[in-house]
Amino acid sequence: MKKTLMDKPIGVMDSGVGGMTVVKEIVRQLPHEKILYFGDISRCPYGEKSQEEVRDYTVQIADYLVGKGIKMLVIACNTATAAALEILKERLDIPVLGVIQPGARSAIQNSRNKKVLVLATSGTVKSNAYSDAIIGINSGFSVSSLACPKFVPLVEQLRYKDDVVSGIIIHQSLKKHRHTDADTIILGCTHYPLLKADIRNYFNNEKKVIDSGYETARETSTILNYNNLLRTSGESIVHTILINGDSSRFEYVLRDWLPELEYKIQEIEL
């Protein structure tokens, strides 16, 4: 029975391709685990939608993945984490992990002056989720947030590799905060790590830039081990990627960013 549970996949969901930044780190840290990924391309981006819409989408996708037999759910989307994490923890009988708490803890560990700047979608900024998480752990921190609504389309439309376009959008989005005294920056959207090097360069490599993929993967490992669900060996892995919408752009990003990943991809309608 335990072996059967162990062999079930980890469910990972996001509004689009951004959650693959978390998958990349999970696969690196947990090479024997199977991933069942859900990319909600047809309804992306989530960041500009109402919290109620995002909550409903997230609950719908979670129920769908549970129906596919996952052993754990990772909400690899900051906006969805802010909107639905607590609801899903109560609703589901499997472990559920979001990306905000791991990112917040990492920022606290890395910051020396206790000043943090969060770059996120409008939905995540409005939720105050990062500020609440960081100050809830250490009230001595000062947290400021900046909505960067142009970043997700930049990634989803595959323009993130165009240095000119990326440079213009990053400058337009961050120019008012270029000289922030925050020594740590959280990339509060799983799409943003694809811009991590450019964002770090924009701040002259003087800031610690945090994305939550590493910490989320580490906590995934801890949770699975605690629940006796960790898969430590087995046959070679082929991951499954479900796309609600057109998968063509998604496949391009996968080939570019995760060329070593063995996967099968399927378009669905939800």
Side-chain angles (χ1 to χ4, degrees), residues 16-17 20 37 41 241 243 247-254:
V17 71
M20 293 306 295
Y37 185 89
I41 294 291
I241 298 172
I243 301 298
S247 65
S248 56
R249 289 186 301 178
F250 201 100
E251 290 197 83
Y252 176 89
V253 174
L254 282 177

Side-chain angles (χ1 to χ4, degrees), residues 52-234:
E52 291 74 20
E53 280 183 290
V54 174
R55 180 194 62 217
D56 291 346
Y57 294 162
T58 306
V59 169
Q60 181 190 31
I61 293 167
D63 287 346
Y64 181 86
L65 290 175
V66 168
K68 293 288 185 181
I70 61 172
K71 63 181 178 182
M72 177 179 179
L73 175 65
V74 177
I75 309 174
C77 172
N78 289 265
T79 307
T81 297
L85 177 63
E86 296 308 317
I87 293 171
L88 290 176
K89 281 184 174 181
E90 294 180 5
R91 181 185 180 95
L92 303 182
D93 294 327
I94 58 173
V96 182
L97 178 64
V99 288
I100 289 175
Q101 283 285 344
R105 281 190 282 269
S106 181
I108 290 170
Q109 291 166 3
N110 281 277
S111 178
R112 294 184 177 182
N113 70 0
K114 296 185 178 181
K115 294 181 180 180
V116 176
L117 172 64
V118 179
L119 308 180
T121 66
S122 298
T124 300
V125 169
K126 290 175 184 175
S127 74
N128 292 315
Y130 271 102
S131 178
D132 291 346
I134 291 171
I135 293 172
I137 297 171
N138 188 328
S139 61
F141 270 71
S142 173
V143 183
S144 56
S145 299
L146 176 65
C148 303
K150 295 181 179 180
F151 283 4
V152 171
L154 182 66
V155 172
E156 289 290 333
Q157 295 169 15
L158 308 180
R159 295 183 296 162
Y160 66 95
K161 296 191 74 175
D162 185 320
D163 292 339
V164 174
V165 174
S166 293
I168 291 171
I169 290 178
I170 288 171
H171 178 66
Q172 289 175 341
S173 301
L174 304 182
K175 59 186 177 182
K176 291 183 179 180
H177 289 73
R178 190 165 201 173
H179 302 294
T180 175
D181 57 356
D183 71 347
T184 302
I185 295 172
I186 297 177
L187 302 181
C189 172
T190 51
H191 286 72
Y192 295 3
L194 291 168
L195 305 170
K196 184 176 182 178
D198 292 331
I199 291 171
R200 186 191 289 120
N201 290 338
Y202 188 76
F203 289 103
N204 298 316
N205 296 304
E206 295 173 351
K207 314 290 186 185
K208 182 69 176 180
V209 180
I210 302 293
D211 74 75
S212 55
Y214 175 83
E215 295 297 330
T216 301
R218 189 169 71 167
E219 292 199 24
T220 298
S221 176
T222 300
I223 290 169
L224 290 176
N225 188 52
Y226 177 80
N227 289 280
N228 295 316
L229 295 173
L230 195 63
R231 189 173 188 266
T232 57
S233 63

